[in-house]
Amino acid sequence: MRLITHNMLQCPVKGCSKDNFPLRIEDAEIENADADFNPQFLKRMLDRIAWGALVQTSFSLGVAKLPESPGDPNDDEFLQTLHHVLLETRVKEGRMVCNGCGHVYPIREGIPNMLLQENEV
Amino acid sequence: MPDFPTPDLSHLTRADFRNVYEPAEDTFLLLDAIEEHPRIALDDDRQRDRDWPSVCLEIGSGSGCVSTFVAKVVGRSNALFLTTDVNPHAARATRRTGEKNEVTLDPVVMDLASALLPRLRRSVDLLIFNPPYVPTESAEVASPSNLPAPLFSISASWAGGVDGREVLDRFLPYADELLAPGGVFLMVLLEDNAPEEIITEVRDRWGWTGRRVKERRAGRERLVIVQFVRGADVHVG
């Protein structure tokens, strides 16, 4: 799971409406995989990223330091850092936990599983 | 327009296709619709300046054949290619098919798009769904209240319930939440699903423009690719 994907995921438990984003990542096995650097794509994505959640998550995983608010989209160094965090940093194994309801979502072979039990839908 | 080869699926075996829908006529018709789409497949000059789509989402990605093809046509670094499937085998197959074809897909196991909202509200530029559309008994349809029994059974990939519309009807409200202004939604249907009825319903509910973009006979079925476009100037609220 790349961190850009994590940035899009929210706890889907019915009635869970508080502290349900971002999901807290625990026991993460992190890996890096090279991706093509595309500054135009990153600029287009900036307003679709939940920035605070990304900063918090990257900090908790100990990956590259991001500024508290999005940097200058024309600053190459900022975009390179963002590229690495969003698109090259992956959680291979681990789990995500909802800070609101405590639901646990496993990540196996790099794929998060957001399925719920019948009584949670 | 450059020609795009069908994704290489040689890494998937008979054993994989016992758990995951194997690309068939409907898949290939969808690939043709993508390759011929004037906003998705661009000539080289326009490809260099491409600024759309940024976020692609395929629901029920199965083998990953379709999203891999989308990533090839759009350009692998030009967009995010998110996929969902309720079947973990399918999510793994999707990731592997991306890797085999040197594109990165981002598969997540979930029911439809349940964990992507509200984060992706009005944010998906290209939405693709080849739903389970075969008319069957309701009991055969995979749904949140009918998991996990049919979850890993291959019938969940095609069993569509009454008129083949049960999964599709459950997804349409998600589509309204997800699709960005100016966004494109491509969907596979059978003639038996009454595409015109669905086009009219969607137009009346959300004002989207819908039309058939591709159709082909496959055995006793007639396959139809329907495209919906959300107006760029709709009130986003």
Short mmCIF file of all heavy atoms in Angstrom, two decimals, chain B residues 62-104:
data_model
loop_
_atom_site.label_atom_id
_atom_site.label_comp_id
_atom_site.label_asym_id
_atom_site.label_seq_id
_atom_site.Cartn_x
_atom_site.Cartn_y
_atom_site.Cartn_z
N GLY B 62 -10.87 -7.44 -10.62
CA GLY B 62 -10.61 -8.82 -11.06
C GLY B 62 -9.13 -9.06 -11.33
O GLY B 62 -8.27 -8.82 -10.48
N SER B 63 -8.81 -9.50 -12.54
CA SER B 63 -7.42 -9.81 -12.91
C SER B 63 -6.53 -8.58 -12.98
O SER B 63 -5.31 -8.70 -13.01
CB SER B 63 -7.40 -10.49 -14.28
OG SER B 63 -7.84 -9.56 -15.27
N GLY B 64 -7.13 -7.39 -13.07
CA GLY B 64 -6.35 -6.15 -13.22
C GLY B 64 -6.09 -5.78 -14.66
O GLY B 64 -5.41 -4.79 -14.94
N CYS B 65 -6.64 -6.56 -15.56
CA CYS B 65 -6.41 -6.34 -17.00
C CYS B 65 -6.83 -4.93 -17.44
O CYS B 65 -6.09 -4.24 -18.14
CB CYS B 65 -7.18 -7.41 -17.78
SG CYS B 65 -6.98 -7.31 -19.56
N VAL B 66 -8.00 -4.50 -16.99
CA VAL B 66 -8.54 -3.22 -17.48
C VAL B 66 -7.73 -2.04 -16.92
O VAL B 66 -7.32 -1.15 -17.68
CB VAL B 66 -10.03 -3.08 -17.11
CG1 VAL B 66 -10.54 -1.68 -17.45
CG2 VAL B 66 -10.84 -4.14 -17.84
N SER B 67 -7.46 -2.04 -15.61
CA SER B 67 -6.72 -0.90 -15.05
C SER B 67 -5.28 -0.86 -15.55
O SER B 67 -4.70 0.22 -15.70
CB SER B 67 -6.77 -0.92 -13.52
OG SER B 67 -7.99 -0.35 -13.08
N THR B 68 -4.70 -2.03 -15.81
CA THR B 68 -3.36 -2.06 -16.41
C THR B 68 -3.39 -1.38 -17.77
O THR B 68 -2.53 -0.56 -18.10
CB THR B 68 -2.87 -3.51 -16.54
OG1 THR B 68 -2.73 -4.06 -15.23
CG2 THR B 68 -1.54 -3.58 -17.27
N PHE B 69 -4.41 -1.70 -18.54
CA PHE B 69 -4.55 -1.10 -19.87
C PHE B 69 -4.76 0.41 -19.76
O PHE B 69 -4.15 1.19 -20.51
CB PHE B 69 -5.74 -1.76 -20.59
CG PHE B 69 -5.83 -1.44 -22.05
CD1 PHE B 69 -4.97 -2.03 -22.97
CD2 PHE B 69 -6.79 -0.55 -22.52
CE1 PHE B 69 -5.05 -1.73 -24.32
CE2 PHE B 69 -6.88 -0.24 -23.88
CZ PHE B 69 -6.02 -0.84 -24.77
N VAL B 70 -5.59 0.82 -18.81
CA VAL B 70 -5.82 2.26 -18.60
C VAL B 70 -4.50 2.96 -18.27
O VAL B 70 -4.19 4.03 -18.81
CB VAL B 70 -6.85 2.50 -17.47
CG1 VAL B 70 -6.92 3.97 -17.09
CG2 VAL B 70 -8.22 2.00 -17.89
N ALA B 71 -3.69 2.33 -17.40
CA ALA B 71 -2.41 2.93 -17.01
C ALA B 71 -1.47 3.05 -18.20
O ALA B 71 -0.72 4.02 -18.32
CB ALA B 71 -1.77 2.11 -15.89
N LYS B 72 -1.52 2.07 -19.09
CA LYS B 72 -0.69 2.12 -20.30
C LYS B 72 -1.13 3.26 -21.21
O LYS B 72 -0.32 3.99 -21.76
CB LYS B 72 -0.80 0.80 -21.08
CG LYS B 72 -0.10 -0.36 -20.41
CD LYS B 72 1.40 -0.26 -20.61
CE LYS B 72 2.10 -1.50 -20.08
NZ LYS B 72 3.56 -1.34 -20.09
N VAL B 73 -2.44 3.40 -21.37
CA VAL B 73 -2.97 4.41 -22.30
C VAL B 73 -2.80 5.82 -21.73
O VAL B 73 -2.38 6.75 -22.43
CB VAL B 73 -4.46 4.12 -22.61
CG1 VAL B 73 -5.07 5.23 -23.46
CG2 VAL B 73 -4.60 2.77 -23.34
N VAL B 74 -3.10 5.97 -20.45
CA VAL B 74 -3.01 7.30 -19.81
C VAL B 74 -1.54 7.68 -19.60
O VAL B 74 -1.17 8.86 -19.67
CB VAL B 74 -3.78 7.30 -18.47
CG1 VAL B 74 -3.45 8.53 -17.63
CG2 VAL B 74 -5.28 7.22 -18.73
N GLY B 75 -0.71 6.68 -19.36
CA GLY B 75 0.70 6.93 -19.02
C GLY B 75 0.88 6.65 -17.55
O GLY B 75 0.19 7.23 -16.71
N ARG B 76 1.82 5.77 -17.21
CA ARG B 76 1.83 5.20 -15.86
C ARG B 76 2.12 6.23 -14.77
O ARG B 76 1.75 6.03 -13.63
CB ARG B 76 2.82 4.05 -15.77
CG ARG B 76 4.27 4.46 -15.93
CD ARG B 76 5.18 3.25 -15.81
NE ARG B 76 6.58 3.66 -15.85
CZ ARG B 76 7.59 2.82 -15.75
NH1 ARG B 76 7.36 1.53 -15.62
NH2 ARG B 76 8.83 3.26 -15.78
N SER B 77 2.81 7.34 -15.12
CA SER B 77 3.11 8.33 -14.07
C SER B 77 2.13 9.51 -14.09
O SER B 77 2.26 10.43 -13.31
CB SER B 77 4.54 8.85 -14.24
OG SER B 77 4.61 9.74 -15.34
N ASN B 78 1.15 9.46 -14.99
CA ASN B 78 0.26 10.61 -15.16
C ASN B 78 -0.95 10.60 -14.25
O ASN B 78 -1.69 11.59 -14.19
CB ASN B 78 -0.24 10.68 -16.61
CG ASN B 78 0.84 11.18 -17.56
OD1 ASN B 78 1.68 11.98 -17.16
ND2 ASN B 78 0.83 10.71 -18.79
N ALA B 79 -1.20 9.50 -13.58
CA ALA B 79 -2.41 9.41 -12.76
C ALA B 79 -2.24 8.36 -11.68
O ALA B 79 -1.29 7.57 -11.71
CB ALA B 79 -3.63 9.08 -13.63
N LEU B 80 -3.18 8.38 -10.75
CA LEU B 80 -3.28 7.35 -9.72
C LEU B 80 -4.30 6.33 -10.23
O LEU B 80 -5.37 6.71 -10.70
CB LEU B 80 -3.77 8.01 -8.43
CG LEU B 80 -4.08 7.12 -7.23
CD1 LEU B 80 -2.82 6.42 -6.74
CD2 LEU B 80 -4.67 7.97 -6.11
N PHE B 81 -3.94 5.04 -10.15
CA PHE B 81 -4.83 4.00 -10.64
C PHE B 81 -5.27 3.13 -9.47
O PHE B 81 -4.64 2.12 -9.15
CB PHE B 81 -4.13 3.17 -11.73
CG PHE B 81 -3.61 4.02 -12.85
CD1 PHE B 81 -2.27 4.41 -12.89
CD2 PHE B 81 -4.46 4.49 -13.84
CE1 PHE B 81 -1.79 5.23 -13.90
CE2 PHE B 81 -3.99 5.30 -14.86
CZ PHE B 81 -2.66 5.69 -14.90
N LEU B 82 -6.31 3.57 -8.81
CA LEU B 82 -6.86 2.85 -7.67
C LEU B 82 -7.81 1.77 -8.16
O LEU B 82 -8.55 1.98 -9.13
CB LEU B 82 -7.65 3.81 -6.78
CG LEU B 82 -6.90 4.74 -5.83
CD1 LEU B 82 -7.87 5.80 -5.30
CD2 LEU B 82 -6.27 3.97 -4.69
N THR B 83 -7.79 0.63 -7.48
CA THR B 83 -8.76 -0.41 -7.82
C THR B 83 -9.33 -0.99 -6.54
O THR B 83 -8.67 -1.03 -5.52
CB THR B 83 -8.12 -1.57 -8.62
OG1 THR B 83 -7.26 -2.32 -7.77
CG2 THR B 83 -7.32 -1.05 -9.82
N THR B 84 -10.56 -1.44 -6.61
CA THR B 84 -11.15 -2.17 -5.49
C THR B 84 -11.69 -3.50 -5.99
O THR B 84 -12.03 -3.65 -7.17
CB THR B 84 -12.31 -1.40 -4.81
OG1 THR B 84 -13.48 -1.47 -5.64
CG2 THR B 84 -11.95 0.04 -4.55
N ASP B 85 -11.72 -4.46 -5.09
CA ASP B 85 -12.41 -5.72 -5.35
C ASP B 85 -12.74 -6.31 -3.99
O ASP B 85 -11.99 -6.14 -3.03
CB ASP B 85 -11.55 -6.68 -6.17
CG ASP B 85 -12.41 -7.69 -6.94
OD1 ASP B 85 -13.11 -8.50 -6.28
OD2 ASP B 85 -12.41 -7.65 -8.18
N VAL B 86 -13.86 -6.98 -3.91
CA VAL B 86 -14.28 -7.59 -2.65
C VAL B 86 -13.51 -8.90 -2.41
O VAL B 86 -13.50 -9.43 -1.31
CB VAL B 86 -15.82 -7.81 -2.68
CG1 VAL B 86 -16.18 -8.96 -3.60
CG2 VAL B 86 -16.40 -7.98 -1.30
N ASN B 87 -12.86 -9.37 -3.44
CA ASN B 87 -12.17 -10.65 -3.42
C ASN B 87 -10.65 -10.45 -3.29
O ASN B 87 -10.03 -9.89 -4.20
CB ASN B 87 -12.53 -11.37 -4.72
CG ASN B 87 -11.79 -12.68 -4.92
OD1 ASN B 87 -10.91 -13.04 -4.14
ND2 ASN B 87 -12.15 -13.38 -5.98
N PRO B 88 -10.05 -10.88 -2.17
CA PRO B 88 -8.60 -10.68 -1.98
C PRO B 88 -7.76 -11.34 -3.08
O PRO B 88 -6.70 -10.83 -3.43
CB PRO B 88 -8.32 -11.33 -0.62
CG PRO B 88 -9.64 -11.33 0.09
CD PRO B 88 -10.67 -11.50 -0.98
N HIS B 89 -8.22 -12.47 -3.62
CA HIS B 89 -7.49 -13.10 -4.73
C HIS B 89 -7.40 -12.14 -5.92
O HIS B 89 -6.39 -12.04 -6.61
CB HIS B 89 -8.19 -14.38 -5.20
CG HIS B 89 -8.27 -15.46 -4.17
ND1 HIS B 89 -7.17 -16.13 -3.72
CD2 HIS B 89 -9.33 -15.97 -3.49
CE1 HIS B 89 -7.53 -17.03 -2.81
NE2 HIS B 89 -8.85 -16.94 -2.65
N ALA B 90 -8.51 -11.46 -6.16
CA ALA B 90 -8.55 -10.51 -7.28
C ALA B 90 -7.61 -9.33 -7.04
O ALA B 90 -6.89 -8.89 -7.94
CB ALA B 90 -9.98 -10.03 -7.51
N ALA B 91 -7.61 -8.84 -5.80
CA ALA B 91 -6.72 -7.70 -5.49
C ALA B 91 -5.26 -8.09 -5.73
O ALA B 91 -4.49 -7.31 -6.29
CB ALA B 91 -6.95 -7.25 -4.05
N ARG B 92 -4.89 -9.30 -5.33
CA ARG B 92 -3.51 -9.76 -5.56
C ARG B 92 -3.23 -9.93 -7.05
O ARG B 92 -2.17 -9.54 -7.54
CB ARG B 92 -3.26 -11.08 -4.83
CG ARG B 92 -2.89 -10.91 -3.36
CD ARG B 92 -2.31 -12.19 -2.79
NE ARG B 92 -3.27 -13.30 -2.81
CZ ARG B 92 -4.16 -13.52 -1.83
NH1 ARG B 92 -4.18 -12.73 -0.77
NH2 ARG B 92 -5.01 -14.51 -1.91
N ALA B 93 -4.19 -10.48 -7.77
CA ALA B 93 -4.01 -10.65 -9.21
C ALA B 93 -3.85 -9.28 -9.88
O ALA B 93 -3.01 -9.10 -10.78
CB ALA B 93 -5.19 -11.41 -9.81
N THR B 94 -4.62 -8.31 -9.42
CA THR B 94 -4.55 -6.96 -9.97
C THR B 94 -3.14 -6.39 -9.78
O THR B 94 -2.54 -5.85 -10.71
CB THR B 94 -5.59 -6.05 -9.29
OG1 THR B 94 -6.89 -6.52 -9.65
CG2 THR B 94 -5.43 -4.61 -9.72
N ARG B 95 -2.62 -6.52 -8.55
CA ARG B 95 -1.29 -5.98 -8.28
C ARG B 95 -0.24 -6.66 -9.16
O ARG B 95 0.61 -6.01 -9.75
CB ARG B 95 -0.94 -6.17 -6.81
CG ARG B 95 0.23 -5.31 -6.35
CD ARG B 95 0.91 -5.91 -5.12
NE ARG B 95 1.39 -7.24 -5.41
CZ ARG B 95 1.43 -8.24 -4.53
NH1 ARG B 95 1.00 -8.05 -3.31
NH2 ARG B 95 1.87 -9.43 -4.89
N ARG B 96 -0.35 -7.98 -9.27
CA ARG B 96 0.63 -8.72 -10.06
C ARG B 96 0.54 -8.38 -11.54
O ARG B 96 1.56 -8.31 -12.23
CB ARG B 96 0.41 -10.23 -9.86
CG ARG B 96 0.81 -10.70 -8.45
CD ARG B 96 0.31 -12.10 -8.18
NE ARG B 96 0.83 -13.07 -9.14
CZ ARG B 96 0.23 -14.22 -9.47
NH1 ARG B 96 -0.92 -14.54 -8.91
NH2 ARG B 96 0.78 -15.04 -10.34
N THR B 97 -0.66 -8.18 -12.03
CA THR B 97 -0.80 -7.84 -13.45
C THR B 97 -0.20 -6.47 -13.73
O THR B 97 0.45 -6.27 -14.76
CB THR B 97 -2.28 -7.91 -13.88
OG1 THR B 97 -2.73 -9.26 -13.68
CG2 THR B 97 -2.47 -7.52 -15.33
N GLY B 98 -0.38 -5.55 -12.80
CA GLY B 98 0.28 -4.25 -12.94
C GLY B 98 1.79 -4.43 -13.02
O GLY B 98 2.44 -3.94 -13.94
N GLU B 99 2.34 -5.18 -12.06
CA GLU B 99 3.80 -5.39 -12.02
C GLU B 99 4.31 -6.06 -13.29
O GLU B 99 5.32 -5.64 -13.85
CB GLU B 99 4.16 -6.27 -10.79
CG GLU B 99 4.02 -5.53 -9.47
CD GLU B 99 4.03 -6.45 -8.26
OE1 GLU B 99 4.14 -7.69 -8.43
OE2 GLU B 99 3.91 -5.94 -7.13
N LYS B 100 3.60 -7.07 -13.73
CA LYS B 100 4.01 -7.81 -14.94
C LYS B 100 4.11 -6.88 -16.15
O LYS B 100 4.94 -7.06 -17.04
CB LYS B 100 2.99 -8.92 -15.21
CG LYS B 100 3.25 -9.75 -16.45
CD LYS B 100 4.31 -10.78 -16.19
CE LYS B 100 4.57 -11.62 -17.45
NZ LYS B 100 5.72 -12.52 -17.24
N ASN B 101 3.24 -5.86 -16.16
CA ASN B 101 3.18 -4.95 -17.30
C ASN B 101 3.82 -3.59 -16.99
O ASN B 101 3.60 -2.61 -17.69
CB ASN B 101 1.72 -4.76 -17.73
CG ASN B 101 1.14 -6.04 -18.32
OD1 ASN B 101 1.29 -6.27 -19.52
ND2 ASN B 101 0.50 -6.86 -17.50
N GLU B 102 4.59 -3.56 -15.91
CA GLU B 102 5.39 -2.39 -15.54
C GLU B 102 4.58 -1.12 -15.34
O GLU B 102 4.96 -0.03 -15.78
CB GLU B 102 6.51 -2.17 -16.57
CG GLU B 102 7.44 -3.36 -16.62
CD GLU B 102 8.55 -3.21 -17.65
OE1 GLU B 102 8.27 -2.67 -18.73
OE2 GLU B 102 9.68 -3.62 -17.35
N VAL B 103 3.42 -1.29 -14.67
CA VAL B 103 2.67 -0.12 -14.21
C VAL B 103 2.34 -0.38 -12.74
O VAL B 103 2.36 -1.52 -12.29
CB VAL B 103 1.36 0.12 -15.01
CG1 VAL B 103 1.67 0.34 -16.48
CG2 VAL B 103 0.38 -1.03 -14.83
N THR B 104 2.07 0.69 -12.00
CA THR B 104 1.72 0.53 -10.59
C THR B 104 0.22 0.75 -10.43
O THR B 104 -0.29 1.83 -10.72
CB THR B 104 2.48 1.54 -9.72
OG1 THR B 104 3.88 1.31 -9.91
CG2 THR B 104 2.14 1.34 -8.25
#
